[in-house]
Amino acid sequence: MNTKLKNTLVLYLPVITIVWCIIMLASLKTGWLNAFFYDAANLQVQGIDYFALPKTFLNLKAGISMFDTWGGVPYGPYATWYLGHPAFGVLVCSWFAFFAPWTSYWLFVGFSFLLMLFAAWLVAERAASFLSKRLAWLLMLFGFPTFWMFYVGNMHAPLILALTFIFLAIDTFSFTELTDTNIQQANRYLMAGLLISFFTKPIVLLMLPLLLLLKQTQKTTLVCLGIYAVVSFLFIVVPVLNPEGIGLEKLLKVATDFGFIKNNMNIYQNHFVLNAYMKDNSIHWLNLIAQSDYRLMHVDVFSFPVFIDTLLGYPLNAAWYKLPIYLTILLSFLVPFISNRQMKFQTALLLLMAITFTFFLSYNTVWEYQYASVAPVLALFPVLYERNVFYKKWIPLLFVSAVIIDLPNLYFLLHGKLITNNLLLLIRFNRVIPVVVMFIVMISLIIQSFFKKNK
């Protein structure tokens, strides 16, 4: 890139970022961007994921299950089912529970936006040049999935911040020279990232094999697991925190019966009627099993399994879609054997990014806002490119693929048309296919680094 173009970008990127943020946030009120989303154009869903959040704490105050979203006194005009960690309902949702529903929604949007700003600042601090610093802000904040996250009010911004912390921690360990200060910062970042994810959306559980096997991250990971285990146990056994608990003995029996969980604890198969097992706080964990084989064939679902099933016209066995998870777990046991520290942690960072993509590839019910979690990966690419990582020549392809995910899906071109299977494939195309491309490239690079470890 020539100097003139770089200087121009450095000058105008802040303006572009600010203008986008204004448009994005204003659109929550004006509806300017609604035409790009099927639900916004056809249904009334603004805040639908949010109103369940304060309801968790209000339910707890009333002595009923935090997960009984539609029980007790209503809060807000509508709501989806709460599925976050029960601790999130007490530690975070409680702060928003004493406001009127729409006031509370707007406060939470502001809270989520501040978390995104903080994540952008963290990446920008790591950048070596003004260009990559300013790109970090734009890339973290820009994106139609990000707008949709704010629109529905989902509690996804904490996960984005958690991933940012974890990626930066692992990147720190790949520095040419490590100081005590670097190591301490890396461990603080890792602890923050793990705990935030554990107590919101535990996507990092799939990262644990790698983090426990790497000597530099093992101790911090074990400490976080200990905290997570103790707090989670309290939210199971303490009656005031789990007012409609089924009891530890019954829970242990149910938790080992996957067939029972899948047949009795799936919200869609139960037509949104909660039974006693689904009101116990353990549903936060067991719901992943309950939905593991279920395909929700819906226009708003953007998962690889649903994409392929729509393409084929019939459902593949769910085991095929778990292959990306099995592959990343296998590689998690191999990466620690790379002898060169820089190569090992550059590879580990790639693997952690690939693990985040397994959610889109292996989990059946993926909503569009969840693609906002690609933002930390995208924002880091310019930083890594300047660092001359071993996969530098592949970063442009990875970067473009991630940018495509941030663009609107093709629904806006099909607005008003009857949604057929072919149109569903087009709508999902620029969410699913770029993730597949990035995953394949990353896995190939990881395997390559393992075979080159002694060179």
Side-chain angles (χ1 to χ4, degrees), residues 337-399:
F337 289 99
I338 298 175
S339 56
N340 181 280
R341 178 179 56 81
Q342 288 179 266
M343 176 71 79
K344 175 162 57 182
F345 280 95
Q346 287 181 17
T347 306
L349 179 57
L350 271 180
L351 182 54
L352 292 180
M353 291 176 175
I355 288 171
T356 65
F357 293 155
T358 61
F359 176 79
F360 308 115
L361 300 174
S362 298
Y363 194 59
N364 301 314
T365 309
V366 177
W367 306 103
E368 186 166 17
Y369 74 84
Q370 289 169 319
Y371 282 88
S373 55
V374 176
V377 178
L378 176 58
L380 267 172
F381 282 147
V383 176
L384 296 171
Y385 189 82
E386 291 181 335
R387 292 261 314 283
N388 291 317
V389 292
F390 76 90
Y391 51 90
K392 179 175 180 175
K393 70 177 182 180
W394 289 97
I395 288 180
L397 173 61
L398 294 169
F399 180 83

Side-chain angles (χ1 to χ4, degrees), residues 422-438:
N422 287 336
L423 294 186
L424 281 174
L425 292 172
L426 287 174
I427 290 171
R428 295 168 178 150
F429 187 86
N430 72 313
R431 297 286 180 263
V432 175
I433 298 305
V435 166
V436 173
V437 171
M438 287 192 288

Side-chain angles (χ1 to χ4, degrees), residues 10 20 36 41 61 63 115 134 153 156 173 200-201 206 212 220 240 243 261 263-264 268 286 318 332:
V10 168
W20 161 255
F36 293 100
K61 282 185 64 184
L115 293 185
R134 294 186 172 182
H156 205 63
F173 285 118
T200 52
K201 298 184 177 185
L206 292 175
L212 289 170
T220 300
V240 71
I261 295 170
N263 292 327
N264 296 277
Y268 303 109
L286 299 183
S332 295

